[in-house]
């Protein structure tokens, strides 16, 4: 009887993905000490979406963020169905970069009223990193594409995916920080 691939040295990589998620959550708590629990964040995001829809506030941002996310989700399942991740080099990297941008955009518009003034906008990067690590844990438990990889291959892929997730989120955070700085600079006498 053969053992499951998860019961191999790759288990260390799976555990590292879980630890990365917990570490990202810890970093987020340092940036925002009163960080609500994940269910409360999800509730706040949903409540903000509904409130904005009723008041027709930030409709363009919501539409762009959710369209981006929906398009990426459709692409992801299309790519999976047609085995594109194994045939197109670095498609996974592109998907993670796009995912980091999309998740950060949704979080920034959806949690803007939840995050108190004075909290660094960089908490979004930590939360996206936690989401990405959660996805890596999901891949480890559910997907089979990596079963033939060496532990080093899987570790390299996981770390690269998380770095690219964080870079996509940093791009959104940096663009928001720069636009806020520019806007505030215009108001200064």
């Amino acid at each position: 009887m053969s053992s499951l691939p998860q019961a191999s040295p790759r288990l260390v990589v799976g555990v590292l993905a879980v630890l990365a998620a917990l570490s990202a959550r810890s970093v987020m708590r340092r940036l925002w000490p009163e960080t609500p629990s994940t269910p409360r964040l999800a509730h706040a995001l949903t409540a903000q979406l509904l409130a904005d829809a009723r008041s027709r506030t930030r409709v363009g941002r919501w539409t762009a963020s959710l369209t981006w996310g929906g398009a990426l989700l459709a692409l992801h399942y299309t790519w999976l169905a047609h085995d594109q991740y194994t045939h197109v080099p670095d498609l996974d990297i592109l998907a993670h970069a796009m995912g980091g941008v999309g998740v950060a955009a949704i979080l920034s518009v959806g949690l803007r009223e939840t995050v108190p003034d004075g909290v660094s906008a960089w908490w979004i990067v930590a939360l996206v990193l936690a989401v990405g690590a959660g996805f890596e844990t999901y891949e480890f438990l559910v997907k089979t594409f990596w079963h033939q990889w060496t532990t080093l291959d899987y570790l390299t892929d996981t770390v690269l995916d998380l770095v690219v997730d964080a870079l996509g989120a940093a791009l959104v955070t940096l663009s928001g920080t720069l636009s806020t700085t520019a806007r505030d600079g215009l108001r200064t006498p």
Side-chain angles (χ1 to χ4, degrees), residues 2 9 13 18 25 29-30 42 44 46 51 54 60 67 73 77 82 103-104 121 125 132 139 160 166 174-175 180 184:
S2 67
V13 180
V18 171
R25 182 77 173 163
R29 288 202 183 272
R30 286 178 190 242
T46 303
R54 280 191 296 274
T67 300
L73 193 60
Y77 283 110
H82 297 283
V103 172
V125 176
E139 276 186 349
L160 186 58
L174 186 59
S175 75
T180 300
D184 290 346

Side-chain angles (χ1 to χ4, degrees), residues 107-121:
L107 292 173
S108 65
V109 71
L111 295 176
R112 70 182 187 280
E113 299 293 330
T114 303
V115 181
D117 290 340
V119 171
S120 169

Side-chain angles (χ1 to χ4, degrees), residues 64-76 79 85 90-108 124-133 135-136 139 160-173:
S65 298
L66 294 175
T67 300
W68 180 275
L72 181 56
L73 193 60
L75 281 172
H76 171 68
W79 293 338
Y85 286 112
D90 300 325
L91 186 58
D92 183 51
I93 301 302
L94 176 63
H96 277 276
M98 292 169 61
V101 167
V103 172
I106 291 169
L107 292 173
S108 65
I124 292 174
V125 176
L127 185 53
V128 168
L129 189 58
V131 170
F135 185 78
E136 291 300 311
E139 276 186 349
L160 186 58
D161 288 349
L162 293 175
V163 167
V164 172
D165 286 337
L167 288 173
L171 181 66
V172 170
T173 302

Side-chain angles (χ1 to χ4, degrees), residues 144-173:
T144 59
F145 67 88
W146 59 269
H147 290 186
Q148 304 306 316
W149 290 2
T150 67
T151 303
L152 182 60
D153 290 337
Y154 186 65
L155 179 61
T156 302
D157 178 73
T158 299
V159 169
L160 186 58
D161 288 349
L162 293 175
V163 167
V164 172
D165 286 337
L167 288 173
L171 181 66
V172 170
T173 302

